[in-house]
Amino acid sequence: MPLNIPPAPAAAERSLSAALQSTTVRSPHPIYLNRGALRPVLPLPVHRLTPVPDPTGAARSRLTGWRFLLESGGRAVGAAETMLTPDGWAFSHFGEGPYIASTERAVRRAEELPGTYQPRLLSIPELYMLTLWLHSDPTAEPGAGSPLPQDILVPLAPAPPGIAADVPVRADTLLPVLAGRLTITAPTG
């Protein structure tokens, strides 16, 4: 079934457009930026998994930005991310590497799954991991919520050792495995 891809906030799109047109963006400029016109496609909200679960033991996440694939000549050649600041949306950085192709693969495979989902990205920086998060409520507010047990997570390649990349897994199966790998340190006073 098709995915219900939510529109990115207009301010996030404007900040990305300005960055693509700017010659003074301080983010490293990957080589693909010199290849002509780039078109932002596949905007996905990026949520960060909080290593400390809520009191019920459920996973929590928070919106940190929107990631866009950058297309040139009909293929994705990079990514750009915006971030939420106290003043609104701002350009964060350009990206390249294996997550670009892995995101495209995961989205294509997700479109073949039964049911309709809202695609998001779930970042787990402590594990150097990114997943395509298929939210089971396709009409949900894209910036709100945390993974539900019935949601599907697709670890993007490269995934941490012992985690299969590109394989859809229910959140209630994968999140306990990830939680066991997260090191939670109590604050010192």
Side-chain angles (χ1 to χ4, degrees), residues 79-97:
E81 195 162 316
T82 62
M83 64 182 174
L84 188 56
T85 70
D87 296 324
W89 291 99
F91 173 75
S92 175
H93 62 277
F94 292 111
E96 51 191 340

Side-chain angles (χ1 to χ4, degrees), residues 110-160:
E111 289 172 335
E112 298 170 359
L113 294 174
T116 302
Y117 296 94
Q118 181 188 93
R120 303 173 175 192
L121 292 171
L122 183 65
S123 173
I124 305 109
E126 296 82 2
L127 299 177
Y128 302 100
M129 182 176 182
L130 187 64
T131 71
L132 178 65
W133 167 17
L134 301 172
H135 195 291
S136 56
D137 180 357
T139 62
E141 168 60 38
S146 290
L148 300 173
Q150 68 273 17
D151 290 353
I152 305 292
L153 300 176
V154 184
L156 301 181

Side-chain angles (χ1 to χ4, degrees), residues 4-99:
N4 185 13
I5 299 172
E13 289 181 340
R14 283 192 301 273
S15 71
L16 172 57
S17 178
L20 287 170
Q21 295 172 11
S22 173
T23 57
T24 61
V25 172
R26 297 201 185 281
S27 177
H29 274 73
I31 189 72
Y32 60 77
L33 287 179
N34 299 326
R35 293 186 188 159
L38 295 172
R39 186 171 69 98
V41 297
L42 192 62
L44 296 173
V46 180
H47 291 253
R48 180 179 177 166
L49 186 67
T50 304
V52 181
D54 72 17
T56 67
R60 295 184 308 166
S61 68
R62 64 180 173 82
L63 179 69
T64 59
W66 280 78
R67 181 171 294 171
F68 301 77
L69 292 185
L70 298 174
E71 191 176 80
S72 176
R75 71 188 249 304
V77 295
E81 195 162 316
T82 62
M83 64 182 174
L84 188 56
T85 70
D87 296 324
W89 291 99
F91 173 75
S92 175
H93 62 277
F94 292 111
E96 51 191 340
Y99 285 142

